[in-house]
Amino acid sequence: MLTNSFYETRAPFYDSVVGDGREIARATGQLIEERRPKAKTVLELGCGTGSVLKHLSEHYDVTGLDASASMLTMARDTLPEAPLFQQDMVDFDLGAQSFDAVICVFDSINHVLTFTGWRRLFSRAHTHLNEGGVIVFDINTEAKLEHLAAGPSFVHEFDDNLMIMGVSAGYRGTYLWNLKVFEHVE
């Protein structure tokens, strides 16, 4: 599992780099609608800054969970009324709370590096699902990760800042993401 410090330092730049979450929320909402048309409640694992939940909150009662305190601080600014919890997505426990849909988007599940971790995550998600509920997640496939690792680092300019990102093959099927953010300071 990725350490919290990774996102603690990147939280202020996260939405500027990855976008406002509208398209992912639209696609996720569409999947929920197709498979659970009467869904009313959504839990997002790895909710980050709340950008996806913000858009889903137009149609659902939303709850978020993230391991990063800095990301949750930003999510609280975005969604002041939504329940937000600081917990690890692999071992989370929200007591008796249950949801019509549990989602994990922005490839967040890629942070879970073991099959045992995946089993625990899906078990915890299942425990928090209402009967007939759905789990929606996305993932960076091995082919996509291999493609990224084979290519050069790339530069992304945002606001007055700069991010350089490179991906390399790691040990035993893992991939290492090297992100450097250069913040423009007066």
Side-chain angles (χ1 to χ4, degrees), residues 23-96:
E23 284 305 308
I24 289 179
R26 185 195 56 73
T28 302
Q30 201 169 34
L31 288 169
I32 294 169
E33 177 65 25
E34 288 171 8
R35 284 150 181 89
R36 183 76 191 258
K38 295 183 181 182
K40 297 198 182 322
T41 57
V42 173
L43 167 65
E44 183 178 7
L45 307 178
C47 70
T49 63
S51 63
V52 172
L53 288 180
K54 173 185 170 186
H55 299 291
L56 290 176
S57 70
E58 298 169 10
H59 307 286
Y60 304 102
D61 291 330
V62 297
T63 300
L65 181 144
D66 202 283
S68 167
S70 294
M71 296 292 262
L72 285 173
T73 296
M74 295 183 75
R76 285 186 181 94
D77 290 341
T78 303
L79 298 156
E81 304 298 318
L84 300 170
F85 300 91
Q86 185 178 1
Q87 292 190 39
D88 185 298
M89 72 173 97
V90 170
D91 295 311
F92 74 96
D93 186 355
L94 301 180

Side-chain angles (χ1 to χ4, degrees), residues 45-186:
L45 307 178
C47 70
T49 63
S51 63
V52 172
L53 288 180
K54 173 185 170 186
H55 299 291
L56 290 176
S57 70
E58 298 169 10
H59 307 286
Y60 304 102
D61 291 330
V62 297
T63 300
L65 181 144
D66 202 283
S68 167
S70 294
M71 296 292 262
L72 285 173
T73 296
M74 295 183 75
R76 285 186 181 94
D77 290 341
T78 303
L79 298 156
E81 304 298 318
L84 300 170
F85 300 91
Q86 185 178 1
Q87 292 190 39
D88 185 298
M89 72 173 97
V90 170
D91 295 311
F92 74 96
D93 186 355
L94 301 180
Q97 291 187 60
S98 60
F99 305 88
D100 296 319
V102 175
I103 67 170
C104 187
V105 295
F106 274 127
D107 308 309
S108 297
I109 202 165
N110 280 99
H111 294 308
V112 180
L113 300 180
T114 66
F115 186 70
T116 301
W118 278 54
R119 287 179 61 161
R120 288 196 330 248
L121 182 148
F122 284 113
S123 174
R124 298 308 308 150
H126 182 262
T127 297
H128 287 79
L129 275 179
N130 291 327
E131 187 173 332
V134 296
I135 299 172
V136 177
F137 68 97
D138 62 2
I139 188 169
N140 279 315
T141 64
E142 188 172 357
K144 180 179 179 181
L145 293 168
E146 286 174 359
H147 175 74
L148 290 171
S153 296
F154 64 91
V155 176
H156 176 70
E157 294 182 47
F158 62 98
D159 304 328
D160 287 333
N161 306 309
L162 187 70
M163 179 190 74
I164 301 173
M165 183 176 90
V167 178
S168 59
Y171 178 69
R172 301 186 75 189
T174 61
Y175 289 83
L176 307 172
W177 295 72
N178 183 2
L179 285 92
K180 294 178 182 150
V181 175
F182 298 89
E183 180 181 14
H184 181 259
V185 178
E186 293 296 327

